[in-house]
Amino acid sequence: MRQLFDTVWQRQGTSWIWDEEARNQVCLASEVWSLRQFMQAVGKWPEELPGNNGRTLVVAGLDGSLDLLTPEDAEFWLGDAVKSAILSFQDEYGSEGALIFWLPLGRNRIEVHIPTDEVKWLCEAPFRESKLDFGRILWGQANEYPQEIFLKERDKSAGLFHSRIT
């Protein structure tokens, strides 16, 4: 997976971040939307986004919502409702807005298979043996496109960035 040291993820595309410093670079905690607010905004997006001088929307709660569902239901919901909402956001803002999913425990829940760049979500109890195939569900296994976000050289990854989901 390619490494990204640029700040492009703060201005465009879709990202999944788990590093608090990274989240703090784009918004105040009070500017983070709930997943419910995000889903309700589909089709009636605000003119200006709440974070990063009107360029970024940070959404919290995706992880908790996935944990409440069976793996089968989570896969369907992620590929249907959540992906549709992401596509709607992209259609509205194009390259003028960044969508960021804040996953505080994502470092331990997102698994990247290095040889193939497959990205999986590790399910929580009682489904710990299951994994959701993020790559297949959200970006159709276009595995060459997601990039690992790094804030500094020799740092742990802060998240994943995808420039445009189709």
Side-chain angles (χ1 to χ4, degrees), residues 8 35 38 63 67 80 135 165:
V8 65
L35 184 63
F38 171 67
D63 47 354
D67 288 346
D80 182 52
I165 291 176

Side-chain angles (χ1 to χ4, degrees), residues 15-163:
S15 299
W16 296 264
I17 62 169
W18 43 81
D19 183 272
E20 190 171 3
E21 181 183 343
R23 195 221 51 224
N24 289 339
Q25 288 181 7
V26 293
C27 74
L28 301 170
S30 62
E31 295 170 332
V32 175
W33 280 21
S34 70
L35 184 63
R36 181 185 188 114
Q37 286 174 287
F38 171 67
M39 299 300 281
Q40 289 176 335
V42 172
K44 45 188 181 288
W45 298 104
E47 262 187 59
E48 188 170 299
L49 297 171
N52 197 18
N53 297 314
R55 299 284 311 262
T56 305
L57 174 60
V58 178
V59 177
L62 179 63
D63 47 354
S65 296
L66 291 172
D67 288 346
L68 292 173
L69 300 168
T70 66
E72 296 78 21
D73 289 343
E75 182 174 330
F76 177 77
W77 177 72
L78 192 60
D80 182 52
V82 176
K83 184 172 181 177
S84 292
I86 292 170
L87 294 173
S88 173
F89 180 91
Q90 286 181 167
D91 288 346
E92 180 70 23
Y93 298 104
S95 62
E96 300 299 316
L99 174 60
I100 297 173
F101 290 95
W102 166 235
L103 306 169
L105 301 176
R107 184 182 317 279
N108 299 321
R109 304 288 299 279
I110 297 242
E111 174 184 275
V112 177
H113 187 252
I114 303 298
T116 62
D117 286 340
E118 290 177 295
V119 177
K120 309 268 184 177
W121 175 261
L122 305 176
C123 295
E124 191 50 80
F127 305 106
R128 284 201 176 119
E129 73 287 347
S130 297
K131 298 175 184 179
L132 300 179
D133 190 346
F134 255 43
R136 180 182 56 74
I137 298 167
L138 292 175
W139 52 82
Q141 292 184 329
N143 292 328
E144 67 274 11
Y145 297 118
Q147 299 171 58
E148 255 184 308
I149 299 168
F150 287 87
L151 301 182
K152 298 176 256 201
E153 295 281 338
R154 291 191 285 290
D155 211 0
K156 290 184 177 182
S157 71
L160 297 175
F161 166 75
H162 202 295
S163 61

